[in-house]
Amino acid sequence: MNPEEILRHEETLDPENWEETRALGHRMVDDMITYLQTVRARPVWRAIPQSVKTHLQQPLPLAPQGAEQAYQDFVEHVLPYPHGNIHPRYWGFVNGTGSALGALSEMLAATMNPNVGGADHSAIYVEQQVLDWCKAMLDFPQTASGLLVSGGSMANLLGLAVARNAKAGFDIRKEGVTAATGMMTIYCSTETHSSVQKAVELMGLGSKALRKIAVDKNYRIDFAQLEKTIVEDRAAGHLPFCVLGNAGTVNTGAIDPLAQLAELCGREKLWFHVDGAFGALAYLAPEMRRHLSGMEAADSLAFDLHKWMYMPYEAGCVLIKDRAAHENAFTLVPEYLVQHERGLSGGPLWLANYGIQLSRGFRALKVWLLLKEHGVDKYRRLIQQNIAQARYLAQLVEQSTVLELVAPVALNVVCFRFKPKNVAEEKLNEVNRQILMELQERGIASPTSTILHGAYALRAAITNHRSRKEDFETLVAETMRLGAEMLRKVA
């Protein structure tokens, strides 16, 4: 078709029949609310049949299939095979559960469909308010800077990039890391999340620059070894610039001695970054605040609202005390993004100047709506509830004659294994691997696993507002039952 022909037959993606779309939308909402309401009646996880996998490998659709058929394909081939994290007996990795209004808020955000990189529109102000609320929740100063990001991995990357630039001692954006007079080094425990190593590598420092310090029996960073390593690195001509503390490690929930780390960083003029992916939010629980003392002294803090605030993915956050350092790390304003004193290109804050994304979704809306729906006190009580549930699970394990705790329960992570008497260690690891897979494949529960001091352990990370006391009783009973069954199979 030539241009004139195209212009005589202009098209759109808007519906030809708005009432049909309205009816389909109502049906979708009803179906999804029912899906949430009945979640307990379904298995936690289901293996995807090969027929479904084949269906999801169809060639690119060239001709229209229509909204009704597309939705029907979703209902039949996608919806029945979820990750499982909305289920009450899901305690895998560290995944949040979402909520009804959280799901609806995604529809609202997608309908508005703003780019929250900049310009003068409501989404910018909503994100700024959410950031201010996050500062208030975690006792960060209101003068601090921040940004909503996809999750803890990106939050760690941004926080550490600001640290690198602020502590380099030269214009690292212009000169690059090769201009440093020695290797810039960062310090963390061996229990630190893998996203930190990825961040260090992406920043051009190389994994050698990440000094992984041994941990004590409670999986907290060995403070004496940390001090010794910093001294040795300086003597070798390296340039220490940052210490990372964990506010809840992903393996066991261990909390590093944050107050000690903050004091060390102040004394040694190092940047103090805290990875609080889920554990930072335990600060809301009064009983946990003293364990997290020192976190509020961090120069930067990474955490996820989609974990222990139970919000839909994606909703991570980084807070950075030095706003100027944050801006200096990322601000770049080409001629096509110049701000104006008024109009759409005005506005007080262009969020693209605080991270690497110019195209940014309206992830702040769900956080704003859910905090307004429930209030922080409700979230505080739910976090305390999960901590109490972790202790209850640990108690059930300790009361059993065939189960064993593999690590202390510092927060909301419980690592345990099936361990009857007189069974060889190498056999125990295989039995526990089989127990885990059977729990998942039978749809009973979804913990995940870790290996601690060579012992394969079932790991329950409890960031689930739907879990109840009886769910943990089921987990323990089924673990013991399956353990006896698997022990016979591998005998």
Short mmCIF file of all heavy atoms in Angstrom, two decimals, residues 35 50 109 114 140 155 162 172 246 257 298 312 366 408 413 434 443 487:
data_model
loop_
_atom_site.label_atom_id
_atom_site.label_comp_id
_atom_site.label_asym_id
_atom_site.label_seq_id
_atom_site.Cartn_x
_atom_site.Cartn_y
_atom_site.Cartn_z
N TYR A 35 -9.78 -16.53 41.58
CA TYR A 35 -8.49 -17.23 41.58
C TYR A 35 -7.76 -16.99 42.90
O TYR A 35 -7.20 -17.91 43.50
CB TYR A 35 -7.66 -16.75 40.40
CG TYR A 35 -6.36 -17.46 40.16
CD1 TYR A 35 -6.33 -18.74 39.62
CD2 TYR A 35 -5.15 -16.84 40.46
CE1 TYR A 35 -5.11 -19.39 39.38
CE2 TYR A 35 -3.94 -17.47 40.22
CZ TYR A 35 -3.93 -18.75 39.68
OH TYR A 35 -2.74 -19.39 39.44
N GLN A 50 3.69 -31.57 28.89
CA GLN A 50 4.37 -31.31 27.62
C GLN A 50 3.43 -30.69 26.60
O GLN A 50 3.85 -29.85 25.80
CB GLN A 50 4.96 -32.62 27.07
CG GLN A 50 5.81 -32.42 25.82
CD GLN A 50 6.92 -31.41 26.02
OE1 GLN A 50 7.68 -31.50 26.98
NE2 GLN A 50 7.03 -30.44 25.11
N ALA A 109 -2.35 1.24 36.70
CA ALA A 109 -1.08 1.79 36.22
C ALA A 109 -0.90 1.57 34.72
O ALA A 109 -0.46 2.47 34.00
CB ALA A 109 0.08 1.15 36.99
N PRO A 114 2.02 5.69 32.09
CA PRO A 114 2.98 6.79 31.99
C PRO A 114 4.42 6.28 31.95
O PRO A 114 4.71 5.17 32.41
CB PRO A 114 2.75 7.55 33.30
CG PRO A 114 2.35 6.48 34.27
CD PRO A 114 1.59 5.45 33.47
N PHE A 140 15.19 6.89 57.74
CA PHE A 140 16.14 7.61 56.91
C PHE A 140 15.72 9.08 56.89
O PHE A 140 14.52 9.38 56.97
CB PHE A 140 16.16 7.05 55.49
CG PHE A 140 17.37 6.22 55.18
CD1 PHE A 140 17.70 5.12 55.96
CD2 PHE A 140 18.21 6.55 54.12
CE1 PHE A 140 18.81 4.36 55.69
CE2 PHE A 140 19.33 5.79 53.83
CZ PHE A 140 19.63 4.69 54.62
N ALA A 155 18.71 -2.43 43.01
CA ALA A 155 18.95 -1.51 44.12
C ALA A 155 20.39 -1.60 44.59
O ALA A 155 21.04 -0.59 44.88
CB ALA A 155 17.98 -1.80 45.26
N VAL A 162 26.88 4.39 43.14
CA VAL A 162 27.03 5.70 43.78
C VAL A 162 28.23 5.67 44.73
O VAL A 162 29.04 6.61 44.76
CB VAL A 162 25.75 6.10 44.54
CG1 VAL A 162 25.95 7.42 45.29
CG2 VAL A 162 24.58 6.24 43.56
N ILE A 172 35.28 9.41 37.94
CA ILE A 172 35.26 8.05 37.40
C ILE A 172 34.34 7.93 36.20
O ILE A 172 34.55 7.08 35.33
CB ILE A 172 34.88 7.06 38.52
CG1 ILE A 172 35.32 5.64 38.14
CG2 ILE A 172 33.39 7.11 38.83
CD1 ILE A 172 35.29 4.67 39.31
N ASN A 246 24.65 -7.10 55.70
CA ASN A 246 23.41 -7.80 55.38
C ASN A 246 22.38 -7.63 56.48
O ASN A 246 22.63 -7.97 57.64
CB ASN A 246 23.68 -9.29 55.17
CG ASN A 246 24.44 -9.57 53.90
OD1 ASN A 246 23.93 -9.37 52.80
ND2 ASN A 246 25.69 -10.02 54.05
N PRO A 257 26.48 -7.49 62.14
CA PRO A 257 26.55 -6.48 63.20
C PRO A 257 26.58 -5.07 62.60
O PRO A 257 27.64 -4.45 62.45
CB PRO A 257 27.85 -6.83 63.93
CG PRO A 257 28.69 -7.50 62.90
CD PRO A 257 27.74 -8.25 62.02
N ALA A 298 23.33 3.73 57.49
CA ALA A 298 23.89 3.37 56.18
C ALA A 298 23.90 4.57 55.24
O ALA A 298 23.02 5.44 55.30
CB ALA A 298 23.09 2.24 55.57
N PRO A 312 2.86 -6.84 44.66
CA PRO A 312 3.13 -7.51 43.38
C PRO A 312 4.49 -7.11 42.81
O PRO A 312 4.94 -5.97 43.00
CB PRO A 312 2.00 -7.03 42.47
CG PRO A 312 0.92 -6.56 43.38
CD PRO A 312 1.63 -6.03 44.59
N LYS A 366 1.06 0.94 42.91
CA LYS A 366 0.61 -0.16 43.78
C LYS A 366 1.09 0.04 45.21
O LYS A 366 0.37 -0.25 46.17
CB LYS A 366 1.08 -1.50 43.23
CG LYS A 366 2.58 -1.66 43.07
CD LYS A 366 2.91 -2.85 42.21
CE LYS A 366 4.37 -2.87 41.79
NZ LYS A 366 4.63 -3.78 40.69
N PRO A 408 20.67 -21.34 63.05
CA PRO A 408 19.84 -20.57 63.98
C PRO A 408 18.76 -19.80 63.22
O PRO A 408 18.95 -19.40 62.07
CB PRO A 408 20.83 -19.60 64.63
CG PRO A 408 22.18 -20.17 64.37
CD PRO A 408 22.08 -20.92 63.08
N VAL A 413 13.65 -17.08 58.34
CA VAL A 413 14.14 -18.18 57.51
C VAL A 413 14.45 -19.38 58.41
O VAL A 413 15.20 -19.24 59.39
CB VAL A 413 15.39 -17.79 56.71
CG1 VAL A 413 15.88 -18.95 55.87
CG2 VAL A 413 15.10 -16.58 55.82
N GLN A 434 15.23 -35.51 47.70
CA GLN A 434 14.02 -36.18 47.22
C GLN A 434 12.78 -35.67 47.96
O GLN A 434 11.72 -35.50 47.37
CB GLN A 434 14.16 -37.69 47.39
CG GLN A 434 15.24 -38.33 46.53
CD GLN A 434 15.00 -38.12 45.03
OE1 GLN A 434 13.87 -38.14 44.56
NE2 GLN A 434 16.08 -37.93 44.29
N GLY A 443 2.42 -30.95 45.17
CA GLY A 443 1.64 -29.76 45.43
C GLY A 443 1.35 -29.52 46.90
O GLY A 443 0.45 -28.77 47.25
N LEU A 487 13.56 -42.63 52.40
CA LEU A 487 14.63 -43.39 53.01
C LEU A 487 14.57 -44.85 52.55
O LEU A 487 15.59 -45.49 52.28
CB LEU A 487 14.53 -43.31 54.53
CG LEU A 487 15.75 -43.77 55.33
CD1 LEU A 487 17.00 -43.02 54.93
CD2 LEU A 487 15.47 -43.61 56.82
#
